[in-house]
Amino acid sequence: MTGTIVSLKPLLALGCPLLGTGMIFIYRKQPNVREGCTLAAAALLFAIVISMAPPILAGKVIAFRLITICPGLELGFRVDAFGLLFAITSSFLWILVSLYSIGYMRALQEHAQTRYYCMFALAIFSAVCIAMAENLVTFYVFYEALTLSTYWLVAHHEDEEAFAATRKYLTYLLASGWFLFAAVVLTYALAGTTRFADGGILTTASASRWTLIVLFALFALGSMKAAWMPLHSWLPAAMVAPTPVSSLLHAVAVVKAGVFGFVRIVCHIFGVDLFSELGLGLLLGWMASFTMIVASFMAIGQDNLKRRLAYSTISQLSYILFGVALLSPFGIKGAMIHIPFHAFMKITLFLCAGAIMVITGKKAISQMAGIGRQMPITMAAFTVGAVGMCGAPPVAGFISKWFLCLGSVQSGHLIFLGVILVSSLLDVVYFFPIIKTAFFDAPQEGADRRNGDVLRMETRKPLYLFMIVPLALTALFSIVFCFFPGTFFILDLVEMAVNNLFNP
Amino acid sequence: MPYLLLQIVGLPLVAAVVTGFTRNVRKSHLPGWITITTLVYTTLLLGFAGIRVCGGEVLLEQYFIGPEVSLNLLADGLSLPMALIINLICLALAVYSLHYVEHRIELIYGQCSPRVYNLYFRRFFLLYLFFPTGFMGVAFATNLLSVYFFMELLTIIPLYFIMAQFGYSDYITRYKVALMCLFWGVAGATFFLIGIIMGYVQIGSFEIAELPRLAGNPMTIWIAIVILLGLATKLAIIPLHVWMPWVHAEHPTCIAGLLAVYANIAVYVAVRILILPLRNDIYPLALPMMTFAMVTMVYGALLTLAQSDIKRFCACSTISQISYSVFGIGIMTAWGVKGGIFYFLSHIIGKALLFSTAGILVYTVETREINKMGGLWSSMPLTAILWFSAALILSALPPTSGFVGKWIIFVGAFKAFHSTPTGLVIVIFAVLSTILTLVYTFLAGIRIFFGPQKPPRPDHPPTDPPLTMSLPLLALVCVALGLGLYPEPILDLLGSVIGFF
């Protein structure tokens, strides 16, 4: 039933951002051409990635083996439904964020923009490589590449604060990379292969129960990119980066690579059966529940908007881990579908935060009284994102939460149903005060209001449109996904992936 | 071709004699060029031998010397790749030395007359040529006594004399350190000699081929322990590592890379005379060896982090890096031993690069203190590239040869020890400790090449070195990349000897 198509398409797709990086560097003296290269590479990448969807939905797998270095060390790409889901998400959002970057970086007159665009393209390249990785070795190599390419983006401002943040960033993520390496080696030693397979590649026969549990611990420590608590503190620190970076990399590429890896490890390395047999599902479930609740509480206390969003990200990432931990078809479906849906909603929120910062210069929530009247489109988009985060209709978050709830019922652990409901209640607690401050509090007399008239800020400069249009689009998509979850084949791909998992 | 291996081992000695007779009125690089020509020729011979060995042949040349002693030379899949890589490094460093020795002589002996200059220049290359002879001898020897002989040759002639004459500190300290190195070297070799004589008492032969007869003998484990003690002195395993930082710091930097080879080649000797013939008897030593190696890895790396002298920095890194190989061979399975030897090759390439780049820095910036360097990226980009390539190789990141070596070692370790809790813990610790290499190499690199500019003489900013110094190093980078992307030929060769257990 499942056939493998050997095709150059994955390589072509990966060529776009890589070639893009080179072109960006070549045209470093002409900013308009340079940004044109970024956009062209992004659009081309998305076109190639989405064109892989029909054959995959027909039950095929697209594969290309690049190089076999020695036994076990293989670099290869293999696109299946789940990988494609991640690739579609990151490549589509790259287009929008590139547009947004133009407005953001030029409005702030940032330095070293060429380095910024180059490293951005390399980070996307690594993320797409991770999505298409055929085996753990390829996954590991590009996982590290992702860390190193985003290093430059976090360090962008090159001031004391940025360097302090990058130190933390590297310490956590490089250390985690080494745990991952240990886990990859151990997997190969136990299973004799590291290729992802639908039923998992480990069995109870491959090693003793304790060895497998140690292996899972190594994998978990290797997935610090998923920002599970208490190993999350690099993520809020990394918020010193320019906002497009925070939005795409720390809501989509980097952290999603972490949870993507986690799902891959649970579903395609351990396999659902072995994982539940070892009792690790419950462990992971509690780990995720802890993070969901505690991160939400920590978000309540943040006044800096980007930091509050960062804690919200930590909490939401654990929804995905949570869904996988349930080990039931609905739970995994919810986890997988939350990857693109959360990406679209969270990126909306971050883009809004960035737009507010650029246009009004405000970073703290307490300063934002009445900002909804100054920037109606932005705050409307923000509201859409926030409603989605809480899992309320008519935004995409509702669908993923619905699946997660069904999943917890299906798994038989009703306590988890309670956890997810409490957590989304907490989401309301920390998101709605922002909306209330923005729309219902009166703006301060002076800079924001003159003679009782609120100043409209959003359309003051044409450059601002580069920011407003992408964030409006992502908000729009968040709503569209709620009514048509099949847009960009998302629902179909998820169903396909879960189907393969449970009926291999 | 007749006497293929004998030529490879003996020609450098002949060339050394020839260099001794060169005379020139003006300052001359002739001895250096003789050395380089000889090494190019022997490298070609090794390549030729390599093709034959790849074809499944085992080259054995027999030269009878006296009772119990022979100078038989054996090139098989284990010794040949190693000899080839070592010879390449010798060649690269000989080219590198041309310029460096000139600078050393001027620094030590001042603006001397051409006669004195030529004297020292000649003397350096005369002594240098003992390195390839010693290494090739250790690699190809089939007799324990000749292994011992070549190891001693390496300790006494090049190490002692070169250090005493071309070292860094003042006259007295230089000789002191040289003597210390000699003592440690001889002490190690003596343990080795005691071990092989104990073996001789049991089986009545010094031939390596006869060693399997020791199998099952209750004395074997003790013989192995004594020999390993001797080798551990060379390998600078804790607590026998004391000499390493001193010796490396004292050496002229152009041959410090060869010191890493000198220390690390003991891994090969251990594989050849203990693990291959007597694996089942000495298997109880596996876990202790791995533990010692693991501790040395961590300790060496922490020691490196604490250094601010760039040469001691490299030396301490050697202590840590050699232990990766020891860890590999300590596993005593085909994967582990293969990985240990492969990592040995990768390490010596990386360390030759790191040391020589440090030498470039010492040569151009004229200080050894890392703290006095900074922001050199803009004026010395090529040097920075070399440093970071060495850092990549040593920290075993893809796509360099180090990654392949590390992968094979640790796959082997996990395969062998995943079911015993102690073993599993030791292996996991060892894997995790490899991150320390990344930390120290890159931290030092960032301190040297980035940040605020700190040239000691602002009026005279340092520049990249002449091409004779950088080109051979770039060639070594290419070799390491080649081994990292296409290690199959070497792994196959190693497998043809090691693969049987």
Side-chain angles (χ1 to χ4, degrees):
Chain A
M1 157 201 132
T2 38
T4 306
I5 311 171
V6 176
S7 149
L8 274 176
K9 254 187 191 171
L11 280 198
L12 281 180
L14 297 172
C16 297
L18 207 56
L19 207 68
T21 312
M23 298 292 280
I24 292 167
F25 184 72
I26 290 170
Y27 290 108
R28 61 189 179 281
K29 295 273 174 351
Q30 293 143 281
N32 289 336
V33 183
R34 180 184 68 193
E35 267 80 301
C37 291
T38 305
L39 284 173
L44 206 58
L45 172 64
F46 178 66
I48 298 177
V49 167
I50 200 88
S51 77
M52 283 192 259
I56 283 178
L57 285 175
K60 302 271 191 260
V61 166
I62 300 176
F64 191 81
R65 172 69 52 78
L66 201 58
I67 182 173
T68 305
I69 296 175
C70 74
L73 277 190
E74 298 164 331
L75 288 189
F77 300 104
R78 177 175 167 277
V79 193
D80 62 359
F82 181 46
L84 192 67
L85 187 71
F86 184 40
I88 288 179
T89 313
S90 35
S91 60
F92 182 71
L93 289 176
W94 189 28
I95 307 178
L96 295 180
V97 174
S98 302
L99 273 175
Y100 183 86
S101 292
I102 298 175
Y104 184 90
M105 298 301 275
R106 293 193 182 181
L108 289 182
Q109 299 179 331
E110 288 280 355
H111 71 128
Q113 290 195 20
T114 304
R115 181 183 76 193
Y116 167 87
Y117 285 109
C118 275
M119 289 304 162
F120 215 113
L122 277 184
I124 294 291
F125 166 73
S126 314
V128 179
C129 282
I130 288 173
M132 296 180 176
E134 175 208 39
N135 52 40
L136 271 175
V137 174
T138 318
F139 178 80
Y140 163 75
V141 168
F142 291 104
Y143 204 70
E144 294 292 281
L146 185 58
T147 308
L148 294 180
S149 51
T150 43
Y151 166 83
W152 301 97
L153 297 170
V154 178
H156 185 83
H157 291 302
E158 295 181 19
D159 52 14
E160 215 32 60
E161 197 194 351
F163 284 129
T166 45
R167 265 197 294 281
K168 198 177 226 181
Y169 186 77
L170 277 190
T171 315
Y172 273 89
L173 294 191
L174 283 181
S176 124
W178 249 252
F179 281 105
L180 182 64
F181 177 74
V184 174
V185 178
L186 184 51
T187 311
Y188 181 71
L190 295 181
T193 173
T194 60
R195 279 179 221 166
F196 299 122
D198 274 322
I201 55 175
L202 292 165
T203 56
T204 37
S206 34
S208 68
R209 187 185 146 86
W210 280 108
T211 311
L212 289 174
I213 289 178
V214 168
L215 176 62
F216 174 70
L218 287 174
F219 269 124
L221 287 167
S223 302
M224 280 184 214
K225 280 202 172 87
W228 50 275
M229 281 190 167
L231 296 170
H232 65 283
S233 69
W234 61 272
L235 183 57
M239 289 300 138
V240 297
T243 308
V245 176
S246 312
S247 58
L248 187 56
L249 300 178
H250 299 130
V252 182
V254 176
V255 292
K256 286 287 151 57
V259 286
F260 175 81
F262 231 118
V263 179
R264 274 275 194 236
I265 288 155
V266 174
C267 300
H268 298 98
I269 294 292
F270 279 90
V272 175
D273 295 337
L274 178 64
F275 206 72
S276 60
E277 209 175 309
L278 292 171
L280 291 172
L282 271 181
L283 181 74
L284 183 60
W286 284 116
M287 218 167 91
S289 306
F290 174 77
T291 311
M292 279 155 70
I293 305 284
V294 176
S296 300
F297 274 115
M298 290 175 92
I300 296 172
Q302 303 294 329
D303 189 38
N304 182 310
L305 181 55
K306 271 176 81 178
R307 281 184 80 88
R308 187 177 285 197
L309 292 179
Y311 279 102
S312 154
T313 308
I314 296 172
S315 159
Q316 293 282 331
L317 289 172
S318 279
Y319 279 55
I320 299 168
L321 299 187
F322 177 88
V324 176
L326 295 174
L327 297 175
S328 55
F330 275 120
I332 294 180
K333 203 186 265 184
M336 286 182 174
I337 211 163
H338 203 46
I339 289 181
F341 286 180
H342 171 251
F344 273 87
M345 297 181 301
K346 189 44 70 59
I347 211 166
T348 312
L349 295 173
F350 267 112
L351 296 185
C352 292
I356 294 172
M357 202 185 86
V358 171
I359 296 174
T360 68
K362 289 174 183 166
K363 289 180 183 171
I365 296 163
S366 51
Q367 299 168 327
M368 291 183 185
I371 207 156
R373 279 182 264 173
Q374 292 174 290
M375 305 176 65
I377 304 176
T378 311
M379 284 318 291
F382 190 91
T383 311
V384 169
V387 170
M389 285 291 146
C390 308
V395 189
F398 171 67
I399 294 188
S400 34
K401 202 172 89 179
W402 172 252
F403 280 133
L404 287 176
C405 291
L406 282 180
S408 29
V409 175
Q410 201 175 32
S411 74
H413 298 289
L414 279 182
I415 179 115
F416 283 139
L417 185 62
V419 169
I420 195 157
L421 292 177
V422 169
S423 169
S424 52
L425 191 66
L426 286 171
D427 286 341
V428 178
V429 173
Y430 65 81
F431 270 122
F432 277 63
I434 308 177
I435 299 170
K436 183 211 145 224
T437 317
F439 282 111
F440 300 111
D441 286 2
Q444 286 165 341
E445 188 69 36
D448 299 335
R449 190 164 65 159
R450 228 167 274 146
N451 309 328
D453 291 335
V454 178
L455 301 175
R456 284 294 295 267
M457 313 277 272
E458 279 168 334
T459 44
R460 200 183 274 170
K461 285 188 195 165
L463 195 56
Y464 291 164
L465 284 179
F466 277 102
M467 289 189 280
I468 304 301
V469 171
L471 66 87
L473 277 178
T474 50
L476 205 62
F477 270 112
S478 304
I479 297 175
V480 168
F481 284 139
C482 184
F483 296 108
F484 309 100
T487 320
F488 298 145
F489 309 105
I490 285 177
L491 187 64
D492 309 308
L493 286 172
V494 168
E495 265 167 2
M496 178 101 203
V498 174
N499 231 346
N500 288 343
L501 223 50
F502 284 90
N503 322 300
Chain B
M1 191 172 289
Y3 310 122
L4 189 62
L5 300 177
L6 187 68
Q7 282 190 56
I8 294 169
V9 177
L11 263 185
L13 275 188
V14 177
V17 174
V18 174
T19 19
F21 285 106
T22 53
R23 288 289 180 272
N24 218 319
V25 188
R26 285 179 292 123
K27 283 189 179 181
S28 148
H29 279 177
L30 184 65
W33 288 111
I34 294 178
T35 308
I36 293 166
T37 321
T38 317
L39 288 175
V40 168
Y41 179 66
T42 52
T43 309
L44 287 179
L45 287 185
L46 275 169
F48 184 68
I51 294 169
R52 286 174 57 183
V53 173
C54 276
E57 236 180 300
V58 172
L59 307 180
L60 177 65
E61 293 176 10
Q62 294 184 311
Y63 306 100
F64 180 73
I65 292 184
E68 312 302 346
V69 189
S70 68
L71 190 70
N72 296 353
L73 300 173
L74 171 84
D76 60 6
L78 178 59
S79 54
L80 194 103
M82 192 190 72
L84 183 62
I85 302 272
I86 294 179
N87 218 43
L88 271 178
I89 294 176
C90 285
L91 174 60
L93 291 185
V95 180
Y96 172 90
S97 297
L98 280 181
H99 215 84
Y100 196 82
V101 172
E102 190 180 327
H103 151 80
R104 275 304 317 140
I105 294 173
E106 278 166 12
L107 220 63
I108 303 177
Y109 302 101
Q111 285 297 338
C112 47
S113 68
R115 205 184 62 81
V116 177
Y117 174 89
N118 280 344
L119 173 77
Y120 282 110
F121 198 83
R122 196 161 66 224
R123 203 176 272 174
F124 176 85
F125 280 100
L126 193 156
L127 294 169
Y128 185 92
L129 281 161
F130 280 88
F131 274 120
T133 297
F135 290 141
M136 297 305 119
V138 175
F140 294 137
T142 64
N143 185 291
L144 288 171
L145 276 181
S146 46
V147 172
Y148 169 76
F149 167 77
F150 283 115
M151 288 210 300
E152 282 299 79
L153 188 77
L154 280 171
T155 314
I156 298 172
I157 311 267
L159 278 196
Y160 175 73
F161 285 107
I162 292 189
M163 190 158 22
Q165 296 185 48
F166 299 91
Y168 270 85
S169 324
D170 58 90
Y171 186 76
I172 304 288
T173 322
R174 223 152 66 205
Y175 270 89
K176 264 192 202 159
V177 177
L179 263 182
M180 183 181 87
C181 162
L182 191 66
F183 288 156
W184 277 95
V186 172
T190 308
F191 272 112
F192 182 78
L193 188 63
I194 295 173
I196 60 177
I197 290 176
M198 282 163 74
Y200 179 76
V201 171
Q202 299 295 323
I203 56 169
S205 165
F206 284 119
E207 287 296 319
I208 295 176
E210 299 284 318
L211 279 177
R213 275 168 46 201
L214 271 175
N217 194 319
M219 277 300 283
T220 308
I221 190 103
W222 296 106
I223 296 171
I225 289 176
V226 175
I227 292 182
L228 281 177
L229 212 59
L231 294 176
T233 317
K234 307 250 176 220
L235 292 166
I237 299 292
I238 276 183
L240 302 169
H241 65 282
V242 184
W243 58 282
M244 182 75 98
W246 283 96
V247 171
H248 273 60
E250 200 49 43
H251 250 79
T253 319
C254 48
I255 62 158
L258 293 178
L259 275 180
V261 184
Y262 160 76
N264 213 337
I265 203 166
V267 164
Y268 163 78
V269 177
V271 171
R272 180 63 94 186
I273 70 176
L274 290 177
I275 294 175
L276 283 184
L278 300 167
R279 190 249 182 196
N280 291 333
D281 293 80
I282 60 170
Y283 192 70
L285 295 178
L287 217 51
M289 260 175 96
M290 286 165 66
T291 315
F292 269 102
M294 194 266 285
V295 172
T296 314
M297 266 183 201
V298 177
Y299 180 77
L302 294 178
L303 211 57
T304 318
L305 270 172
Q307 304 301 319
S308 66
D309 175 337
I310 195 165
K311 293 188 67 190
R312 278 183 171 254
F313 173 89
C314 304
C316 294
S317 147
T318 307
I319 297 177
S320 160
Q321 288 274 312
I322 287 180
S323 291
Y324 287 36
S325 310
V326 178
F327 189 89
I329 64 166
I331 303 162
M332 300 192 196
T333 60
W335 277 81
V337 175
K338 232 197 263 185
I341 297 284
F342 193 86
Y343 197 85
F344 158 44
L345 300 181
S346 162
H347 164 228
I348 56 177
I349 297 176
K351 194 44 66 65
L353 272 169
L354 193 77
F355 257 122
S356 310
T357 314
I360 291 177
L361 286 169
V362 176
Y363 167 75
T364 48
V365 189
E366 297 176 10
T367 173
R368 278 167 52 178
E369 279 297 305
I370 294 181
N371 295 328
K372 289 184 188 161
M373 306 176 194
L376 294 177
W377 167 268
S378 50
S379 51
M380 307 171 72
L382 191 59
T383 316
I385 290 173
L386 286 172
W387 179 281
F388 285 109
S389 316
L392 278 180
I393 297 170
L394 292 179
S395 25
L397 291 181
T400 62
S401 51
F403 185 64
V404 179
K406 189 171 84 166
W407 168 262
I408 300 175
I409 289 178
F410 289 120
V411 168
F414 275 128
K415 268 182 190 287
F417 289 98
H418 70 77
S419 48
T420 50
T422 346
L424 191 63
V425 170
I426 290 177
V427 179
I428 289 177
F429 260 97
V431 183
L432 296 181
S433 73
T434 57
I435 195 175
L436 290 171
T437 315
L438 179 87
V439 173
Y440 67 70
T441 47
F442 277 86
L443 268 188
I446 288 167
R447 273 156 78 192
I448 296 170
F449 294 104
F450 297 102
Q453 275 217 326
K454 271 193 255 173
R457 292 184 299 168
D459 52 314
H460 182 73
T463 50
D464 271 330
L467 283 182
T468 50
M469 287 174 92
S470 50
L471 274 187
L473 301 184
L474 282 176
L476 285 184
V477 174
C478 294
V479 173
L481 282 181
L483 285 184
L485 289 175
Y486 188 56
E488 231 173 295
I490 295 225
L491 288 177
D492 285 349
L493 279 178
L494 294 179
S496 69
V497 179
I498 296 167
F500 67 89
F501 56 66

